Amino acid sequence: MTKQMHRAKDVVRILEQAGYEAVIVGGAVRDALIGRDFNDVDVATEALPLQVKALFDKTIDVGIEHGTVLVLQEGVGIEVTTYRTESTYTDHRRPDTVHFVRDLREDLQRRDFTMNALAMRANGEIVDYYGGEADLQARIIRAVGEPRARFEEDALRMLRAVRFVAQLGFTIEQNTAQAIEQQASMITHIAIERIQAELEKLFVGPFVAEGIKAIRETTLSEHLVGTFDEREWQHVQLRDANVGWAYFAYGSQMDAATVARTYRLANKQKQFIAHVLTLAHQDDWTTMDYFTYDIDVLYAAQAIRTWQHQRVVTTAHIDAQKAALPIQTKDELAINGQDVMQWRDEKRGPWIKEALAAIVEAVVTGNVQNDTQRIKDWFNREWNN
Ligand code: ATP
Ligand code: MG
């Protein structure tokens, strides 16, 4: 059991001892039951936020108006949320109001899928009002209650469904899938940042091709920018969401600036994607490419090779090429700008940078050894006349 789970159970016990019902809820219960790794463990309780705060030394108000208090238990943060219902979703996203309730069943009813509507008591007992355990067994993603109504309340749930496909390899139950198909266009009501976060989880899921297929089959793809073709995601297992974005941009024939603008990616992500795409579009990589690009960029471009060749292409030769470089970074050069200035009696200026770049290239490509005297000779011959 993880440290988080131990601390969450402590929190549940403390609440129980004070006379409040409390349970572990959400993804951690689901993941624990199927033996999947998890980090965050959420607690739900009938106690009101102020009652929760009164019981623990260290708490942080992270969302007290929604009933959530972060309890710090031996250095681990556990989110404790008062049982609540949500009502009147006028914009197909967040609820307008939340109501605290005393009944766990009501709290579980507001949750998106049966597998996410399970609760666990401190003694390990599972509370299952909506058939979540059976669906977990059958590997089915099923909306709690009437699917259409649930997606109408919150359209993000549709994307959560396909993201869980990619993470768990489960299938979406037929009525649930049909409801997504009928209401797919409502995904456009959702803030792009939330779409971005779901897609990032999908990209790195072990069943990403199935997730992409679900996006296409439910027609969510028609309301999202880019290409969602599962054939292109076969054989890939991405560890990093940024590699996913580069991969997605490549398959969608979008340049880095467009994908970054559309999905509001950070500048660093945009740069990474741009580098990966440059390499992916080159047939061959030169020694200078192996020197210039970070190993992560090379790996990511290699992942796109997998796509281009429809088979797994290993990265071993990238490591070998990198390792074989005479220098790994500019800092390893035997000379610096000062030396170059002395060798050539000229004022400081942009020429120094150019000269250094030429020297780096000569050393990296093996034209000259990384040795002060040899570089000086080369420089005097090639540059100083
Ligand atoms: P993970 O943490 O692996 O992304 P999770 O299921 O824990 O998955 P969270 O976003 O952490 O997802 O949410 C915790 C729980 O809150 C969910 O298991 C679910 O019960 C509920 N939940 C989250 N988002 C929604 C939503 N949009 N609609 C209904 N219930 C939701
Ligand atoms: Mg979670």
Side-chain angles (χ1 to χ4, degrees):
M1 201 164 45
T2 66
K3 196 164 85 183
Q4 274 86 352
M5 188 56 102
H6 278 295
R7 298 295 78 83
K9 286 197 169 176
D10 294 345
V11 170
V12 168
R13 275 191 211 98
I14 290 167
L15 283 157
E16 282 177 348
Q17 275 155 20
Y20 303 111
E21 187 186 46
V23 290
I24 292 163
V25 285
V29 179
R30 176 198 69 220
D31 293 339
L33 287 174
I34 58 175
R36 180 173 180 266
D37 288 347
F38 55 86
N39 290 313
D40 300 349
V41 182
D42 298 318
V43 167
T45 180
E46 64 177 336
L48 294 168
L50 290 178
Q51 296 171 322
V52 173
K53 288 179 66 168
L55 286 175
F56 298 93
D57 290 344
K58 286 190 198 145
T59 64
I60 302 171
D61 295 355
V62 286
I64 206 153
E65 65 288 1
H66 300 112
T68 304
V69 173
L70 186 71
V71 172
L72 294 176
Q73 189 71 1
E74 294 178 31
V76 177
I78 304 290
E79 277 197 2
V80 180
T81 304
T82 303
Y83 295 161
R84 61 182 208 208
T85 57
E86 299 168 344
S87 55
T88 51
Y89 298 76
T90 42
D91 56 359
H92 313 297
R93 36 194 198 192
R94 308 227 158 139
D96 300 342
T97 49
V98 307
H99 293 284
F100 297 143
V101 293
R102 304 307 290 236
D103 186 6
L104 172 58
R105 182 191 290 261
E106 275 190 76
D107 179 272
L108 295 176
Q109 190 173 20
R110 74 174 165 88
R111 296 173 183 272
D112 49 4
F113 304 111
T114 59
M115 64 180 188
N116 291 342
L118 291 163
M120 184 164 66
R121 300 193 192 280
N123 65 8
E125 183 197 331
I126 298 293
V127 182
D128 180 13
Y129 292 117
Y130 303 101
E133 269 192 297
D135 285 339
L136 261 189
Q137 279 287 318
R139 301 167 59 84
I140 286 173
I141 300 163
R142 183 197 309 268
V144 174
E146 217 282 295
R148 285 197 65 156
R150 303 310 311 285
F151 296 133
E152 191 152 343
E153 284 171 2
D154 180 358
L156 185 73
R157 291 170 186 156
M158 301 189 290
L159 207 52
R160 281 174 58 87
V162 297
R163 176 262 274 199
F164 285 123
V165 170
Q167 287 182 321
L168 306 173
F170 289 12
T171 39
I172 305 177
E173 179 272 329
Q174 209 181 344
N175 288 324
T176 303
Q178 225 162 46
I180 298 177
E181 195 175 333
Q182 281 162 357
Q183 296 169 99
S185 69
M186 285 195 331
I187 199 66
T188 53
H189 293 286
I190 297 302
I192 202 70
E193 288 80 1
R194 301 181 77 199
I195 292 178
Q196 178 204 318
E198 294 301 324
L199 287 179
E200 291 192 348
K201 289 180 179 172
L202 182 140
F203 290 153
V204 299
F207 306 92
V208 58
E210 274 94 322
I212 297 282
K213 184 174 176 209
I215 291 189
R216 184 178 58 73
E217 288 183 341
T218 55
T219 70
L220 280 169
S221 52
E222 291 172 23
H223 309 280
L224 296 169
V225 177
T227 304
F228 296 85
D229 182 344
E230 67 271 18
R231 289 170 303 182
E232 295 167 343
W233 292 81
Q234 238 98 76
H235 317 293
V236 284
Q237 172 56 74
L238 307 179
R239 263 166 303 169
D240 181 326
N242 289 334
V243 180
W245 285 115
Y247 207 85
F248 175 70
Y250 180 85
S252 303
Q253 299 186 13
M254 286 161 97
D255 60 33
T258 310
V259 76
R261 189 175 353 96
T262 309
Y263 288 100
R264 302 248 175 99
L265 307 180
N267 254 326
K268 261 192 110 135
Q269 294 178 290
K270 179 169 83 178
Q271 270 171 23
F272 175 83
I273 298 166
H275 288 157
V276 174
L277 291 181
T278 303
L279 272 181
H281 286 294
Q282 274 173 228
D283 285 337
D284 295 304
W285 301 344
T286 63
T287 308
M288 271 313 276
D289 289 329
Y290 283 103
F291 174 78
T292 308
Y293 293 107
D294 283 349
I295 193 89
D296 292 341
V297 171
L298 290 159
Y299 281 164
Q302 187 66 12
I304 293 175
R305 287 276 191 261
T306 301
W307 175 334
Q308 292 166 333
H309 301 309
Q310 281 301 296
R311 63 183 168 79
V312 179
V313 184
T314 62
T315 51
H317 76 279
I318 294 179
D319 299 335
Q321 290 275 3
K322 267 276 190 207
L325 291 170
I327 55 171
Q328 295 296 322
T329 70
K330 288 188 183 93
D331 299 340
E332 291 175 24
L333 214 54
I335 58 98
N336 59 30
Q338 292 296 330
D339 299 314
V340 178
M341 283 225 307
Q342 276 175 18
W343 298 337
R344 180 161 146 174
D345 197 15
E346 197 180 317
K347 276 213 308 257
R348 213 174 262 286
W351 71 269
I352 299 176
K353 226 180 136 183
E354 284 167 39
L356 283 173
I359 292 168
V360 165
E361 178 155 1
V363 169
V364 168
T365 56
N367 278 335
V368 58
Q369 257 185 42
N370 188 27
D371 167 275
T372 311
Q373 190 56 46
R374 283 175 198 265
I375 292 175
K376 185 178 179 182
D377 293 344
W378 178 89
F379 180 79
N380 285 331
R381 200 165 61 239
E382 301 286 325
W383 262 71
N384 230 359
N385 47 37

